[in-house]
Amino acid sequence: MPDDVNYKAELVGVFGHPVAENPSIVMQEAAFKELGLNWRYLTIEVFPEDLAAAIHGMRAFHMKGINLTIPHKVKVLNYLDEVAPDARLMGAVNTVRRDGDKLIGENTDGKGFLRALREDASSDPAGKQVTVLGAGGAARAITVELALAGAKSITVMNRTVSRGQTLVELLNEKTSAESTFHHWTGTYTIPKDTDILVNATSIGLYPDVDARPDLDYSTMSPNMIVSDVIPNPPRTPFLREAKKRGAKTLDGLGMLVYQGAIGFEMWTGMAAPVEAMQRALEAAFRE
Ligand code: NDP
């Protein structure tokens, strides 16, 4: 047996409930394989009342990191040593990384969106006017990152008033982006000066694949970058309307891959093989 034998795999994974359909394992394992790393990504069912114990377990197993999904993204803040400033602003952590013995909370959802915007649409959010449909977790992550990256204004429209107002108050109090709330009732006209339009609602998510946000689509213009958070299927009716009108589009699959790539880079310290991750996820969604 050679002297340098090492059977010990490095461990990362996801805690959630329900978690069985979480697709992150597909892209993370594809990345480990691509780079020949002895790492494993585990999909772990953790009930809400067991989160503290699960984080203790993660420390005991010397896991390198973990993703958090429903219902743990907010409660996990109680069990970490540090939380990155953007994740603290959002009040939600979807990725934990290890720095020595410390567990640090991060949020990669909005960062994944920013990376898609910069790399795939060659656009910098600084000075841009943004319109966001929705005010849930994805909208919060995206708007906070856009605001921190220097977006000039953010218009949030949401069906439920209280949720939309809470998000806009947060943006106005904690960032320099001028933020406004519009109550979404009936068909919505997109503000004329919008540079970046984001569907951050769950409208269009599988199996509801023909659904699209109630908008006056004639107000979508070719100058806009139009983005959808829906990863599956990535070609949503909303993005098809945008393409038809000559707008640049970014899909939710790209955002999902980039947020995973950012997590991979935080955990391993290596550049993520983004294309291999994307191919693996596309294949899984086609099955
Ligand atoms: P939340 O439940 O926190 O928020 C859902 C949002 O969608 C709310 O604003 C809700 O409005 C709105 N909404 C849902 N249905 C309707 C409807 N019929 N009409 C109008 N508004 C509606 O979910 P998340 O923010 O966590 O997730 C939203 C989507 O983003 C999901 O599809 C998820 O898969 C996707 N996502 C994608 C990521 C990626 O990397 N691509 C990362 C994270 C999420 P209201 O407040 O009125 O209920």
Side-chain angles (χ1 to χ4, degrees), residues 119-195:
E119 293 189 15
D120 298 345
S122 308
S123 173
D124 192 303
K128 297 289 192 311
Q129 316 220 52
V130 182
T131 300
V132 176
L133 318 177
R140 181 173 277 251
I142 289 168
T143 53
V144 164
E145 294 296 352
L146 282 167
L148 294 178
K152 181 178 169 209
S153 69
I154 298 179
T155 303
V156 173
M157 52 168 293
N158 201 48
R159 178 180 61 177
T160 305
V161 171
S162 56
R163 229 171 168 193
Q165 277 175 341
T166 304
L167 175 54
V168 161
E169 278 163 22
L170 169 84
L171 294 168
N172 280 328
E173 271 171 33
K174 306 282 187 188
T175 78
S176 59
E178 292 161 28
S179 303
T180 320
F181 170 65
H182 287 287
H183 186 200
W184 189 2
T185 49
T187 308
Y188 184 72
T189 301
I190 305 160
K192 242 194 350 287
D193 42 12
T194 299
D195 300 307

Side-chain angles (χ1 to χ4, degrees), residues 109 134-138 158-160 163 184 200-203 205 229-231 252 255-256 259:
D109 282 337
N158 201 48
R159 178 180 61 177
T160 305
R163 229 171 168 193
W184 189 2
T201 72
S202 39
I203 302 170
L205 187 65
V229 295
I230 301 297
M255 175 181 161
L256 186 61
Q259 69 77 29

Side-chain angles (χ1 to χ4, degrees), residues 12-275:
V12 289
V14 56
F15 292 162
H17 174 67
V19 78
E21 290 184 15
N22 188 290
S24 290
I25 184 173
V26 171
M27 60 180 166
Q28 297 296 349
E29 289 280 336
F32 301 149
K33 194 165 168 211
E34 181 78 9
L35 298 187
L37 298 178
N38 187 18
W39 285 55
R40 299 285 178 281
Y41 188 97
L42 306 174
T43 300
I44 303 172
E45 186 91 38
V46 173
F47 296 139
E49 61 275 22
D50 293 329
L51 181 61
I55 296 287
H56 276 303
M58 179 201 168
R59 290 183 195 268
F61 292 170
H62 306 284
M63 290 179 79
K64 291 283 188 189
I66 202 84
N67 287 136
L68 284 311
T69 185
I70 291 169
H72 303 310
K73 287 185 181 186
V74 176
K75 207 171 156 206
V76 73
L77 270 86
N78 298 322
Y79 309 120
L80 303 174
D81 301 303
E82 284 174 26
V83 177
D86 57 342
R88 188 164 292 286
L89 257 187
M90 292 164 205
V93 161
N94 77 336
T95 302
V96 173
R97 67 181 170 87
R98 184 181 273 280
D99 181 5
D101 287 339
K102 280 192 195 156
L103 296 184
I104 301 174
E106 301 271 1
N107 197 309
T108 63
D109 282 337
K111 287 191 171 82
F113 174 85
L114 278 194
R115 187 150 157 190
L117 189 66
R118 290 192 169 121
E119 293 189 15
D120 298 345
S122 308
S123 173
D124 192 303
K128 297 289 192 311
Q129 316 220 52
V130 182
T131 300
V132 176
L133 318 177
R140 181 173 277 251
I142 289 168
T143 53
V144 164
E145 294 296 352
L146 282 167
L148 294 178
K152 181 178 169 209
S153 69
I154 298 179
T155 303
V156 173
M157 52 168 293
N158 201 48
R159 178 180 61 177
T160 305
V161 171
S162 56
R163 229 171 168 193
Q165 277 175 341
T166 304
L167 175 54
V168 161
E169 278 163 22
L170 169 84
L171 294 168
N172 280 328
E173 271 171 33
K174 306 282 187 188
T175 78
S176 59
E178 292 161 28
S179 303
T180 320
F181 170 65
H182 287 287
H183 186 200
W184 189 2
T185 49
T187 308
Y188 184 72
T189 301
I190 305 160
K192 242 194 350 287
D193 42 12
T194 299
D195 300 307
I196 301 169
L197 172 68
V198 187
N199 173 36
T201 72
S202 39
I203 302 170
L205 187 65
Y206 181 85
D208 212 2
V209 298
D210 294 325
R212 57 176 204 182
D214 188 2
L215 297 177
D216 176 356
Y217 283 90
S218 70
T219 58
M220 228 176 211
S221 96
N223 307 327
M224 293 175 188
I225 295 174
V226 179
S227 173
D228 202 330
V229 295
I230 301 297
N232 187 25
R235 277 166 290 283
T236 56
F238 173 74
L239 288 186
R240 283 205 294 269
E241 291 285 354
K243 273 217 168 96
K244 224 162 54 188
R245 291 175 169 77
K248 222 180 236 183
T249 60
L250 293 171
D251 66 40
L253 189 109
M255 175 181 161
L256 186 61
V257 169
Y258 280 131
Q259 69 77 29
I262 293 165
F264 177 97
E265 288 165 3
M266 287 174 174
W267 295 332
T268 65
M270 295 178 192
V274 173
E275 279 168 27

